[in-house]
Amino acid sequence: ERPHCYVHYNGDFFDWPFIEKRAFIHGLDMRNEIGIWKDRTDIYIARFTVNIDCYSWVSRDSYLPQGSQNLKAVVRKKL
């Protein structure tokens, strides 16, 4: 099977926790179902999947002011 790549903005702290909570409510384990789990540093990882949270590199490397790191501001500045 070919590897998958998930690209998102702040997904490690919003999207994945939301999906994980919904899966739990429905009796599903994300690690068993889709192979994604949270490591000890609260980052979601997978065995055969690349998980890229663009917010991580924007907050680290963009040199945007602290309040200007939301997705709309980043798109305006970088694109």
Side-chain angles (χ1 to χ4, degrees):
E1 188 169 322
R2 295 170 44 186
H4 299 278
C5 180
Y6 296 107
V7 179
H8 45 84
Y9 196 82
N10 201 25
D12 282 337
F13 300 102
F14 180 77
D15 299 321
W16 284 124
F18 177 81
I19 294 168
E20 186 175 41
K21 189 177 290 184
R22 295 296 299 168
F24 178 77
I25 289 170
H26 292 283
L28 302 171
D29 179 4
M30 279 191 7
R31 187 172 190 159
N32 291 336
E33 297 292 331
I34 60 174
I36 295 176
W37 66 93
K38 186 172 21 175
D39 70 1
R40 283 181 254 150
T41 61
D42 289 338
I43 302 298
Y44 285 83
I45 59 173
R47 191 166 177 196
F48 297 107
T49 304
V50 177
N51 180 36
I52 302 170
D53 190 345
C54 295
Y55 181 75
S56 297
W57 63 261
V58 166
S59 61
R60 186 189 68 209
D61 298 334
S62 71
Y63 307 109
L64 290 171
Q66 189 66 29
S68 299
Q69 293 178 352
N70 62 45
L71 182 57
K72 193 174 195 175
V74 170
V75 168
R76 235 185 261 138
K77 186 74 172 175
K78 297 295 180 184
L79 298 179

